[in-house]
Amino acid sequence: MTQTWDPHQYEQHGAFVHELAGGVLDWLAPEAGERILDLGCGDGQLSKRIVAAGASVVGLDSSPQMAAAAQSLGIDAIVGDAEAIPFVSHSVDAVFSNAALHWVRNHDAMLSGVKLVLRPGGRFVAEFGGFGNIAAIRVAMRAAIERFGFDGSKDDVNYYPTPQIYTRRLEQHGFTVDRMALIPRPTPLPASGMSGWIRTFRRGVLESLPEGVRDKIVEEAVRLLAPALKDEEGNWIADYVRLRFIAHA
Ligand code: BEZ
């Protein structure tokens, strides 16, 4: 299963991803003149904020559509794989990443690449889904997929480690961890609600299922989730948990 992205759909249903990223940007604290790699830059909205601080940014994203969206904002973005970062050794002052690393399958390959590309002492500042992230959504998606006779593990496409486990992984790759926090972040969804969220962020999972059941699976997951994640005024709040860290090479 490969997640696919449509920048227009993402902007419509997922703008909160960059709107809520102020915390990790504060931890990055970009400085004028720094060269920063934005790993999984997506549509480039955060790269743009880093550029506004005076740093020079190179974005890397596996989705050609998202890299093109970033380029349209004036970002120097290239298409590439986080597990095989196509950059010269010791060529950046910092690697930044928001809401992307939970899609990476081989974290050891990615961490080796980040370590290599950073100058000695350079920092790796990132935020992604942490342990317990979207737990209710995952249970509901699994149940809905199984209800229609398919393998519920099709939904297991992301990685959400604990702070302890991810600290160890960073250390095994030669990083020193300066800060690490697991941050519950209940996240209000736009008007498109849970259905819009599932269709955007579980697009790859849905595309791996026969077309005729996709809408039914979305409806079933939405039905199961309403008692847990919909408030009494009808607003959807997703059960996000973030893992945020600063480590240095
Ligand atoms: C997240 O940011 O935690 C996330 C987004 C989409 C799918 C799964 C997790």
Side-chain angles (χ1 to χ4, degrees):
M1 194 293 296
T2 309
Q3 170 70 6
T4 52
W5 298 102
D6 168 352
H8 177 68
Q9 185 188 35
Y10 189 82
E11 180 53 29
Q12 208 181 349
H13 307 294
F16 64 86
V17 174
H18 68 82
E19 287 164 3
L20 299 178
V24 68
L25 274 179
D26 287 348
W27 283 28
L28 175 67
E31 287 183 16
E34 284 190 315
R35 180 172 157 80
I36 298 180
L37 165 60
D38 185 351
L39 193 57
C41 65
D43 59 8
Q45 293 286 347
L46 291 176
S47 313
K48 207 171 118 186
R49 282 162 71 179
I50 300 169
V51 167
S56 102
V57 175
V58 187
L60 181 73
D61 205 280
S62 60
S63 158
Q65 292 79 10
M66 291 303 242
Q71 285 161 3
S72 74
L73 293 183
I75 302 302
D76 176 10
I78 60 171
V79 180
D81 189 346
E83 294 170 17
I85 299 171
F87 282 52
V88 174
S89 313
H90 303 161
S91 58
V92 301
D93 298 298
V95 175
F96 171 77
S97 184
N98 179 60
L101 301 185
H102 41 253
W103 295 106
V104 172
R105 302 309 264 174
N106 184 344
H107 274 249
D108 289 318
M110 184 270 291
L111 289 171
S112 297
V114 171
K115 180 75 171 33
L116 202 64
V117 80
L118 277 173
R119 66 162 171 77
R123 62 203 190 284
F124 182 23
V125 181
E127 179 172 308
F128 66 110
F131 193 78
N133 192 41
I134 57 165
I137 300 177
R138 285 153 61 202
V139 172
M141 279 301 290
R142 184 177 264 264
I145 292 169
E146 289 178 356
R147 166 100 199 265
F148 289 91
F150 298 94
D151 176 5
S153 71
K154 275 181 178 291
D155 190 62
D156 296 342
V157 291
N158 298 113
Y159 174 59
Y160 306 122
T162 64
Q164 293 75 14
I165 287 176
Y166 213 69
T167 295
R168 244 184 351 255
R169 280 191 99 146
L170 284 158
E171 288 171 352
Q172 279 160 1
H173 284 272
F175 288 96
T176 301
V177 176
D178 305 301
R179 287 176 85 178
M180 170 84 66
L182 189 69
I183 307 166
R185 194 200 67 195
T187 300
L189 298 181
S192 52
M194 186 53 66
S195 162
W197 190 95
I198 293 171
R199 290 177 197 282
T200 304
F201 293 108
R202 283 295 176 260
R203 188 177 152 122
V205 173
L206 293 172
E207 283 171 351
S208 75
L209 294 160
E211 209 171 335
V213 296
R214 293 176 194 165
D215 286 347
K216 293 184 186 134
I217 286 173
V218 175
E219 278 166 31
E220 175 65 358
V222 168
R223 187 187 71 78
L224 289 168
L225 284 164
L229 299 183
K230 198 172 175 183
D231 75 12
E232 64 206 67
E233 294 175 349
N235 307 301
W236 283 95
I237 300 164
D239 51 341
Y240 276 63
V241 178
R242 309 284 84 190
L243 185 65
R244 186 188 300 166
F245 64 84
I246 307 179
H248 68 265

